[in-house]
Amino acid sequence: MSVRVFPSATLWAVLALIAIADVVLMVATDFRPTGTAWLAILAVSAAAAGLGYLYSTVRRDDRLSALAFAAAYLIAYTLAGATLSYIGTSLGLPLLDANLARIDTALGFDWLATLEFVDRRPLLGAALRFSYASSMAQVVFALIVLAATRQFVRLGDFLALFTITSLTTVLLSSLLPAAGAFVHYDPPATLRDVVGADAGIWHLKHFTALRSGAMHTIDAAAIEGLVTFPSFHTALAVVTAWAFWRTRFLASAAIGLNALVIASTVPVGGHYLIDVLAGGALAAAAIVAVGRRRRARADAWVPAGVTPAA
């Protein structure tokens, strides 16, 4: 049996198309990469891919092969997707914060009251801040666990879900931009004691500079998340919990932690409630779509002689 490309030829093709789009758009919009982090990140991705090939052919170890290929893909894709997000933000389309805030009000949600509630509970605020910062560490842990437990099909699908949800949020946030609830409501400093003075505005310096045209360089070592609507943190929390769903002893903990991640997106991430609802709906739709495709086409990468765990 010949070794297939993990996570799938389709995902690598999508990555290639995004990378090509990045290059074309950077040239067209006069963006340019700066710093040495670009080469370092791409070198790490290439090295991981090399290890994947080594462990799939020369020194056969399906778990290490899957993990290495997954890391190579995730590293390269994250860089390409983040670059696309920066270019999309530079379009400078009208901000929709007032619209999103009105939707929240129509839903009966009081954003400032939520922030005040958290501010009165330091332990809750600390837990939410920790949870919010845990998302990418959870992704790395998921790759390790799924590869180590031979859940290769689920690992490939997790990477597909990461791609679908992140790419969709990048595209939607470029066309429907918002600065975030902390910018819109501008709460007093006293309400930031628990969540942190920088909560919800980590991205603001780059976001503002990109929209004004003052920023035309992208330093891969200093990239910030720029997405407000839909909430990628919410979508990622849902698909990460899904990734651990069939792993004993970890499923319950993953669900609990990612429930906190979702709860943290409003007071810590500075999202509107509608951002969170949209992010959750996006993740659910992606899970359904990937599941249907999986059932229709049994195309998972499976090493010779290995029976994959779902």
Side-chain angles (χ1 to χ4, degrees):
M1 172 181 176
S2 62
V3 177
R4 298 185 61 183
V5 179
F6 187 81
S8 73
T10 299
L11 284 180
W12 283 107
V14 168
L15 171 57
L17 289 174
I18 296 172
I20 292 171
D22 284 342
V23 172
V24 172
L25 290 172
M26 288 178 78
V27 172
T29 56
D30 198 31
F31 268 90
R32 65 183 185 279
T34 186
T36 59
W38 289 82
L39 293 177
I41 292 171
L42 293 175
V44 171
S45 177
L51 286 174
Y53 179 79
L54 174 68
Y55 285 115
S56 65
T57 55
V58 180
R59 301 183 62 181
R60 290 296 301 272
D61 188 318
D62 50 292
R63 289 175 294 184
L64 289 177
S65 178
L67 178 59
F69 275 130
Y73 174 82
L74 184 64
I75 292 168
Y77 170 78
T78 300
L79 179 60
T83 301
L84 186 62
S85 176
Y86 267 58
I87 298 171
T89 300
S90 73
L91 294 175
L93 296 177
L95 294 176
L96 299 179
D97 289 273
N99 303 74
L100 298 175
R102 279 196 294 271
I103 293 174
D104 275 10
T105 299
L107 292 172
F109 182 74
D110 189 329
W111 190 90
L112 282 172
T114 301
L115 185 60
E116 291 171 354
F117 177 86
V118 174
D119 185 69
R120 292 194 298 269
R121 295 163 176 81
L123 289 179
L124 174 61
L128 293 178
R129 192 172 175 89
F130 170 82
S131 301
Y132 190 83
S134 74
S135 291
M136 286 310 297
Q138 288 193 66
V139 170
V140 173
F141 187 53
L143 264 59
I144 295 171
V145 169
L146 294 178
T149 55
R150 298 178 182 271
Q151 297 183 71
F152 302 120
V153 172
R154 204 163 191 83
L155 176 55
D157 287 349
F158 176 56
L159 291 171
L161 290 170
F162 185 96
T163 302
I164 293 169
T165 54
S166 60
L167 183 58
T168 302
T169 56
V170 164
L171 295 176
L172 285 177
S173 66
S174 297
L175 298 175
L176 304 170
F182 272 102
V183 177
H184 178 73
Y185 289 105
D186 191 22
T190 54
L191 289 184
R192 292 177 173 270
D193 291 339
V194 169
V195 297
D198 58 347
I201 57 172
W202 299 285
H203 68 302
L204 196 56
K205 181 178 179 180
H206 286 191
F207 184 81
T208 303
L210 287 165
R211 287 180 53 82
S212 69
M215 184 176 182
H216 277 274
T217 61
I218 303 176
D219 184 350
I223 286 178
E224 298 284 355
L226 303 175
V227 171
T228 293
F229 176 86
S231 167
F232 179 57
H233 254 81
T234 299
L236 185 57
V238 173
V239 301
T240 302
W242 174 90
F244 288 110
W245 182 253
R246 295 184 180 177
T247 304
R248 292 184 62 190
F249 310 116
L250 292 178
S252 296
I255 292 172
L257 178 56
N258 282 292
L260 285 176
V261 172
I262 294 172
S264 74
T265 56
V266 170
V268 178
H271 283 282
Y272 302 95
L273 177 62
I274 187 59
D275 301 340
V276 179
L277 297 178
L282 170 61
I287 289 171
V288 170
V290 168
R292 286 180 177 175
R293 182 180 184 278
R294 176 62 62 204
R295 288 189 293 271
R297 297 179 58 189
D299 59 355
W301 171 83
V302 182
V306 172
T307 301

